[in-house]
Amino acid sequence: MGTIGLIAGGGRFPLLFAESARRAGHRVVAAAHVNQTDPALERLVDALAWVKLGQFAKVVDWLKAQGATQVVMLGSIAKVRFFRDAWLDSLGVKVLARLAVKSDDNVLRAIAAGLEERGLPVIDPSAFLQDRLAREGVLGRHAPSEAEWADARYGLELARAIGRLDLGQTVVVKDRMGVAVEALEGTDACIRRGGELAREGAVVVKAVKPQQDRRFDLPAVGPDTVEVMREAGCRVLAVEAGATLVMDEAAMVERADRARIAVVGIR
C-alpha cells in the first residue's frame, strides 16, 4: 500500500477518510488548514503539517517530501475565506489566475490540475468510504408523510437543478415550493433561513451536483445537520442515496429519532 496525501478542510470528513484509509493499510499524511481543520486529525494520520489557506507551494512540497504519490481533497473550506484571509503564495496566485469564473467547482478543478501538474494526482475518495454512503429508504424510526415524500422528490429535482448552475447542494422545500437554496453561505445557514421562512414542517434535500467531479466536494450530512434542522423546525432530511456521505450514522439517526425528524435516502 502506498502513501496518500490528504489536503484537509473542516468537518468530520477528513477524519473519517483517515480512519478508513489507514484501516485498509495505507499510510496517510495530511496538510491541515489553520482555523479550519479539526486538530483531532493529527492523531489519525501518520504525519501532519499545518498550512494557511492559499499556501499551495508549501502543501505540494510537504506532501511530496512525505512520499505521497496521490492526493485526496476533503472537508469544508468556507469560500468566503478566499476573500477574507487567504495567504496566496506565488503558486496559489498562478493556479487561481487561470480562472475566469471562480465558482466552487472551477476553483477545485484548478487546484486539482495544479497538483497533478506537480506529480500529485487527485483521486476519488469514495472508494474508501462505501460503507459511509447513504442507503436508500428510511434510516430511522420516523417516515415522511405522503406530502413530505412529494416534497422530497421535488426537492431532489430542485437540488439537481441548482447543482447544474454550481450554486450548492442543498434546498429547503415546503408544499412543493422551493423556500431556500444553498449558495455562498453554506448548508447550515440555508437550513436556518428555510426554517425561518417555512415556519414548521419543511423538508431539507441534499444531492450531488449532476456535473460534480467525485474527486472532491461530496455532499455530506451528520448529527450536526439534524441539530440545525431541529432548531429550525424542519421535519425531513432527504439525501441522495449512494452519493451522500453520512457521518456518524448511528448518532445522526438517534438524534433524528429523538427530534421526530425523518431521515431518508432517495434516488
Side-chain angles (χ1 to χ4, degrees):
M1 298 293 182
T3 297
I4 301 175
L6 167 59
I7 300 176
R12 290 273 296 153
F13 203 168
L15 282 68
L16 297 177
F17 175 85
E19 289 176 341
S20 296
R22 293 185 78 197
R23 189 162 54 238
H26 297 278
R27 181 171 179 265
V28 179
V29 297
H33 285 85
V34 175
N35 297 325
Q36 195 81 34
T37 305
D38 188 336
L41 180 63
E42 197 155 9
R43 301 192 299 271
L44 300 174
V45 297
D46 295 280
L48 181 144
W50 289 98
V51 300
K52 294 180 180 177
L53 182 63
Q55 292 183 312
F56 294 108
K58 182 176 179 179
V59 170
V60 169
D61 292 344
W62 190 82
L63 291 177
K64 293 184 76 170
Q66 292 297 315
T69 57
Q70 52 192 354
V71 173
V72 295
M73 296 167 53
L74 301 172
S76 59
I77 296 288
K79 189 176 177 182
V80 293
R81 291 193 60 203
F82 277 98
F83 303 101
R84 291 178 180 172
D85 59 358
W87 288 59
L88 289 176
D89 57 21
S90 59
L91 179 55
V93 171
K94 182 178 180 181
V95 168
L96 295 184
R98 303 174 178 180
L99 297 175
V101 178
K102 292 182 173 62
S103 65
D104 292 348
D105 283 357
N106 284 348
V107 169
L108 290 169
R109 288 192 182 105
I111 293 171
L115 290 168
E116 291 176 351
E117 288 169 2
R118 288 155 183 83
L120 292 172
V122 179
I123 62 172
D124 181 351
S126 61
F128 301 92
L129 298 163
Q130 290 299 309
D131 60 336
R132 300 185 190 271
L133 297 179
R135 296 171 283 111
E136 189 170 10
V138 178
L139 303 187
R141 290 202 307 263
H142 304 290
S145 67
E146 285 301 317
E148 289 167 341
W149 273 117
D151 278 351
R153 288 189 289 269
Y154 171 69
L156 184 60
E157 295 178 10
L158 185 59
R160 287 169 173 165
I162 69 163
R164 291 186 185 96
L165 298 174
D166 197 19
L167 291 175
Q169 300 169 330
T170 307
V171 298
V172 181
V173 174
K174 186 175 181 182
D175 298 332
R176 268 67 72 205
M177 288 191 301
V179 179
V181 299
E182 180 187 356
L184 182 64
E185 78 281 29
T187 299
D188 290 353
C190 174
I191 293 171
R192 291 188 181 100
R193 187 173 74 252
E196 181 180 353
L197 293 170
R199 301 296 177 91
E200 287 288 339
V203 174
V204 176
V205 183
K206 197 170 187 75
V208 69
K209 297 174 183 176
Q211 77 281 13
Q212 183 66 58
D213 188 329
R214 299 300 179 96
R215 294 176 299 170
F216 34 69
D217 200 25
L218 288 176
V221 295
D224 291 346
T225 311
V226 171
E227 182 60 25
V228 173
M229 289 180 58
R230 183 193 65 78
E231 294 170 357
C234 300
R235 303 307 308 160
V236 177
L237 173 61
V239 300
E240 186 172 355
T244 304
L245 177 70
V246 179
M247 296 178 285
D248 304 313
E249 180 177 335
M252 184 188 76
V253 170
E254 180 184 5
R255 187 170 296 186
D257 287 344
R258 289 202 309 267
R260 300 189 65 80
I261 292 173
V263 180
V264 299
I266 59 176
R267 295 184 187 273

